[in-house]
Amino acid sequence: MSIIYNFNPGPAILPQSVLLKVKKNLLNWNNSNFSILEVSHRSKIFIEKTMQIEKTFRNILNIPENYNILFCHGGARGQFSAIPLNFIKKFIKPDYINSGYWSLSAAEEAKKYCRPNIINVRKLTKNKKICIQSTKYWKISSKNTYLHYCPNETIEGIEIFEEPEFYNKIVVGDFSSTILSRKIDIKKYGIIYACAQKNIGPAGITVVIIRNNLLFNLNNKIPSILNYNLLMQSKSMLNTPSIFSWYVSGLVFKWIKNLGGLNIIEKINKKKAKILYKYLDSTDFYNNYISSPNQSRMNVTFHLQEKNLTNMFLEQSEKYGLFGLKGHSILGGIRASIYNAMPIQGVKSLIKFMKFFEKKFG
Ligand code: PMP
């Protein structure tokens, strides 16, 4: 079978070696003669596994001891509700940074429970590219509250590399599509959350990293399944967790660790994004609309100059073994999601195809 590359935005590509391990363990997990899909979440063997998984995750992201790690249900959207609901007793008017579709969606959801102060940080450069204001220009409120932002807008392909440093704010980050792609300084955040289906593992689990001191005096009159305190006390087992997703995520964390951790991963990701953007910059046949300091390393978006060639591009790219390149329906065009598991060879194949297509139709 010829090699195919999966550029889907999520559920997304997983490391081949992880998939092979899953296959091997599917019928007989750890020589137990039963499948990982059949394991009880209350069994000693699974509880020990979750402890190991948490340890590896803490280690690769360098998460300090005064942070709890929760493995939740509900995806990132579940967190759009969980955050305002847990904090509603303390903060009525939190700050929400609007940098694109997902950050605005979080703010819209929060409107059901509080009165978000929505701060627009998107600007256009002289040559009409989208850029994000430096955090020092963000017009945040003077109130002691939390500030929500999304460091990587998966749909538009906009990434904010600058880490917000606001000492009177609890910084909350939706890291769904950038977590584990680069090092971050956890201490700057109160809460980091991420759905699994990009750099973590299969859909079904949502990771929340929360500073311990935020777990006091929360609103308790909310659905138990969103209650951070209960989730922490039950070690993320208030109800039956998605054991499969949790287990595969653990294999992905180990894969990252064995590769050399986030230092190496970040280096590879920089290289992959660099060659693709370099090619995009060199041609008028394809256009990327994001200014270079905010070009996402995970989701590279572009349009064909001749928009009516887009469908043909997508059809032919599949014949070339390149899948999942269709842009999100609100933007159209092309989106290449090049998460951690995408090998550099996949990006090179994409560039090769783009050159071929340009030559044929340009
Ligand atoms: N935030 C971001 C940045 C995302 O990319 C996504 C999913 N693409 C979501 C939130 C929503 O995630 P979920 O489908 O797990 O609710």
Side-chain angles (χ1 to χ4, degrees):
M1 206 173 73
S2 61
I3 297 180
I4 62 162
Y5 293 107
N6 174 4
F7 291 90
N8 271 308
I13 186 169
L14 285 165
Q16 268 296 308
S17 60
V18 167
L19 291 176
L20 289 172
K21 206 159 191 176
V22 172
K23 184 178 168 196
K24 185 164 161 264
N25 281 337
L26 199 66
L27 293 181
N28 184 4
W29 182 52
N30 271 4
N31 297 322
S32 60
N33 281 326
F34 50 82
S35 164
I36 179 66
L37 297 172
E38 302 168 310
V39 174
S40 163
H41 60 297
R42 305 272 178 224
S43 60
K44 188 163 170 275
I45 182 169
F46 189 72
I47 291 174
E48 278 171 9
K49 182 53 79 189
T50 62
M51 283 157 63
Q52 276 169 21
I53 294 172
E54 180 182 321
K55 199 168 157 203
T56 313
F57 184 64
R58 197 179 278 282
N59 177 283
I60 51 182
L61 260 176
N62 203 10
I63 302 173
E65 282 306 314
N66 62 328
Y67 284 75
N68 254 278
I69 303 167
L70 310 174
F71 293 88
C72 311
H73 285 287
R77 270 191 186 275
Q79 295 306 309
F80 290 178
S81 308
I83 289 154
L85 278 168
N86 275 279
F87 286 121
I88 208 162
K89 246 165 71 175
K90 296 184 183 183
F91 310 120
I92 299 298
K93 221 168 177 286
D95 287 335
Y96 273 77
I97 299 299
N98 173 15
S99 54
Y101 180 89
W102 285 114
S103 55
L104 188 60
S105 301
E108 291 297 330
E109 188 68 19
K111 276 184 188 166
K112 294 177 185 167
Y113 317 108
C114 57
R115 287 184 286 128
N117 171 36
I118 301 176
I119 303 152
N120 198 353
V121 297
R122 248 164 90 152
K123 295 273 171 273
L124 279 184
T125 60
K126 277 191 202 112
N127 53 355
K128 302 265 182 293
K129 297 226 175 199
I130 298 169
C131 68
I132 300 293
Q133 281 181 318
S134 163
T135 59
K136 56 178 181 281
Y137 299 115
W138 290 2
K139 293 193 176 68
I140 57 171
S141 67
S142 55
K143 292 192 179 66
N144 170 20
T145 179
Y146 72 81
L147 173 141
H148 180 280
Y149 90 116
C150 177
N152 188 60
E153 292 284 2
T154 323
I155 292 178
E156 297 89 339
I158 300 171
E159 189 152 359
I160 303 172
F161 293 97
E162 191 185 356
E163 291 186 277
E165 293 194 48
F166 298 115
Y167 294 107
N168 62 338
K169 301 271 168 193
I170 297 161
V171 177
V172 177
D174 172 0
F175 273 71
S176 292
S177 51
T178 179
I179 196 156
L180 298 174
S181 70
R182 55 180 161 100
K183 282 179 293 169
I184 47 174
D185 185 358
I186 303 283
K187 293 191 299 297
K188 293 186 176 141
Y189 303 88
I191 300 178
I192 284 174
Y193 66 93
C195 56
Q197 61 271 20
K198 291 128 187 346
N199 272 336
I200 293 181
I205 210 157
T206 314
V207 175
V208 176
I209 305 165
I210 180 165
R211 203 168 54 226
N212 293 350
N213 67 345
L214 297 177
L215 289 164
F216 297 105
N217 201 18
L218 295 175
N219 178 25
N220 275 323
K221 292 198 169 55
I222 65 173
S224 302
I225 198 66
L226 299 179
N227 184 317
Y228 289 144
N229 228 315
L230 292 180
L231 288 164
M232 182 268 294
Q233 282 171 33
S234 64
K235 298 199 175 350
S236 305
M237 293 211 195
L238 184 68
N239 68 337
T240 315
S242 169
I243 46 149
F244 183 70
S245 178
W246 204 340
Y247 153 74
V248 181
S249 304
L251 297 180
V252 174
F253 301 157
K254 232 189 213 166
W255 172 78
I256 293 176
K257 194 166 177 219
N258 292 342
L259 268 181
L262 293 189
N263 273 332
I264 301 293
I265 290 274
E266 184 168 345
K267 240 190 210 160
I268 301 170
N269 284 334
K270 274 187 183 166
K271 201 166 164 188
K272 287 188 293 186
K274 192 172 166 191
I275 58 171
L276 188 45
Y277 284 116
K278 191 169 168 209
Y279 172 60
L280 284 169
D281 280 349
S282 72
T283 166
D284 291 331
F285 189 74
Y286 306 102
N287 296 314
N288 165 268
Y289 298 116
I290 315 298
S291 78
S292 82
N294 295 113
Q295 282 171 334
S296 169
R297 272 185 213 145
M298 294 289 101
N299 312 97
V300 179
T301 53
F302 55 92
H303 282 81
L304 280 84
Q305 180 82 289
E306 276 299 329
K307 293 220 162 85
N308 54 9
L309 287 174
T310 308
N311 284 341
M312 176 108 75
F313 179 95
L314 291 168
E315 270 165 34
Q316 296 208 1
S317 58
E318 288 201 0
K319 289 194 185 123
Y320 218 79
L322 311 169
F323 287 84
L325 286 165
K326 193 172 193 293
H328 191 276
S329 53
I330 63 164
L331 283 187
I334 310 293
R335 170 175 51 174
S337 294
I338 51 173
Y339 297 117
N340 288 349
M342 174 62 67
I344 192 143
Q345 200 48 48
V347 180
K348 286 184 178 164
S349 293
L350 172 62
I351 296 171
K352 197 168 161 201
F353 168 74
M354 288 167 72
K355 286 183 178 166
F356 156 79
F357 192 85
E358 177 175 356
K359 213 164 165 194
K360 199 162 162 195
F361 296 100

